[in-house]
Amino acid sequence: MEHEALIRLSIFLGLFTLFASIETWFPRRVRSLPRKSRWFTAWSLTLLNTLTLRMMAFVLPVLAVGAAADATHQGWGLLNLITLPAWFELILAVLILDFAIWLQHLITHKVPLLWRLHRVHHADRDIDVTTAIRFHPVEIALSMLIKIAVVYALGPTAIAVIIFEIMLNGTAMFNHANMRLPAKVDQLVRMVLVTPDMHRVHHSVHRQEHDSNYGFALSIWDRMFNTYIAQPKAGHDKMEIGLAWRDERPAKLGWSLWLPFQKK
Ligand SMILES: [Zn+2]
Ligand SMILES: [Zn+2]
């Protein structure tokens, strides 16, 4: 727990470097826009999101991990009311947290006000490892509030929340990476995890396709709830990524920050 922040940052930077290198050497798709401006925007948003969470940590008594420790201490939440083997409770907690994120993602696509915020992620005209960190600060703040509520209701251990957050962060970078898995490996991996080909469908310009494959880590929920689309209609090389804005604006930081408040 003491070195939690350092461990998480090291895993994040290590996986980012790994996927960014694979993309550079063996890209899956040809880029629509130059990498420089898109990467500047995604990293700036990440910096703003980190600052937002730091500010929230000042204002709120706890964030997600602190909420788990507090819930355990107070005996609050489902998992603190029942007795299960520790290993089983850990798996159950990670599964339920992943389902909650899946459901939250689906809701952000259905509620117009939330979709305005989430469009910032989808407006990216290419999909690569930096798309995984391209979110509007207001969406990140809202997500944290929802996560705190879910943690208090569920009552997982702090370690379960840390493991879940590392897994979510790592799998998000993996499935946004502009890389190609051999077809057979993709089929095998996507039985459990969301693969880059599976999540790319979710970034299609077509509404029916971007309203599918909501999973970030586990692929099981989309199959279970019938929101799964195996491949894009136009194929992975020809499909269009992004939303209605087909120029360079989505790569710009100011435009991306203002996007939720735009008239259309
Ligand atoms: Zn989405
Ligand atoms: Zn995405």
Side-chain angles (χ1 to χ4, degrees):
M1 289 288 275
E2 218 179 293
H3 305 294
E4 184 213 325
L6 190 67
I7 293 169
R8 285 168 70 155
L9 184 68
S10 309
I11 295 175
F12 167 66
L13 291 176
L15 287 177
F16 185 92
T17 310
L18 172 73
F19 295 129
S21 308
I22 297 173
E23 284 177 355
T24 308
W25 295 322
F26 313 102
R28 172 74 159 100
R29 283 168 49 94
V30 180
R31 292 177 189 281
S32 308
L33 294 178
R35 196 154 71 164
K36 212 168 141 194
S37 54
R38 285 187 51 252
W39 277 43
F40 172 77
T41 297
W43 274 105
S44 304
L45 286 172
T46 303
L47 204 70
L48 285 171
N49 292 337
T50 309
L51 288 173
T52 304
L53 292 174
R54 282 278 159 91
M55 268 155 51
M56 286 177 81
F58 268 119
V59 181
L60 298 173
V62 286
L63 294 187
V65 177
D70 187 38
T72 306
H73 181 70
Q74 312 269 8
W76 292 344
L78 179 74
L79 295 174
N80 290 316
L81 300 175
I82 49 178
T83 311
L84 293 168
W87 64 269
F88 186 69
E89 204 180 298
L90 180 80
I91 293 173
L92 202 61
V94 170
L95 271 173
I96 296 174
L97 286 170
D98 193 60
F99 173 70
I101 293 288
W102 174 87
L103 187 63
Q104 184 196 332
H105 188 187
L106 181 137
I107 292 169
T108 57
H109 276 247
K110 307 291 177 200
V111 178
L113 213 63
L114 299 176
W115 171 244
R116 281 186 161 266
L117 296 168
H118 188 55
R119 303 195 286 199
V120 176
H121 179 65
H122 280 267
D124 203 355
R125 293 215 26 224
D126 291 306
I127 170 169
D128 69 11
V129 66
T130 60
T131 314
I133 55 170
R134 184 192 152 99
F135 289 95
H136 197 277
V138 179
E139 183 173 21
I140 291 296
L142 258 176
S143 285
M144 180 50 87
L145 292 178
I146 293 167
K147 211 185 293 175
I148 292 169
V150 170
V151 164
Y152 271 116
L154 179 63
T157 57
I159 197 77
V161 177
I162 294 171
I163 289 174
F164 171 70
E165 291 201 326
I166 292 174
M167 179 184 92
L168 189 69
N169 198 243
T171 50
M173 283 193 281
F174 164 66
N175 63 46
H176 284 91
N178 183 29
M179 63 185 223
R180 184 193 304 269
L181 290 181
K184 281 204 173 140
V185 177
D186 183 291
Q187 286 308 319
L188 213 68
V189 175
R190 78 160 73 182
M191 286 168 78
V192 185
L193 293 178
V194 177
T195 63
D197 276 11
M198 181 175 161
H199 193 69
R200 198 174 299 107
V201 178
H202 184 73
H203 280 263
S204 162
V205 75
H206 300 300
R207 175 113 205 225
Q208 195 217 352
E209 290 185 335
H210 69 235
D211 282 351
S212 74
N213 298 5
Y214 296 105
F216 276 119
L218 299 177
S219 63
I220 52 175
W221 314 118
D222 285 302
R223 280 202 205 81
M224 222 179 259
F225 294 95
N226 242 340
T227 50
Y228 174 66
I229 293 182
Q231 307 294 342
K233 255 197 191 130
H236 286 283
D237 294 320
K238 291 213 174 111
M239 71 179 286
E240 282 190 81
I241 305 277
L243 295 174
W245 302 279
R246 310 309 300 160
D247 47 31
E248 289 182 3
R249 284 175 295 173
K252 293 184 176 146
L253 177 63
W255 185 89
S256 302
L257 280 169
W258 187 245
L259 180 59
F261 314 106
Q262 270 186 32
K263 273 200 174 153
K264 264 198 170 177

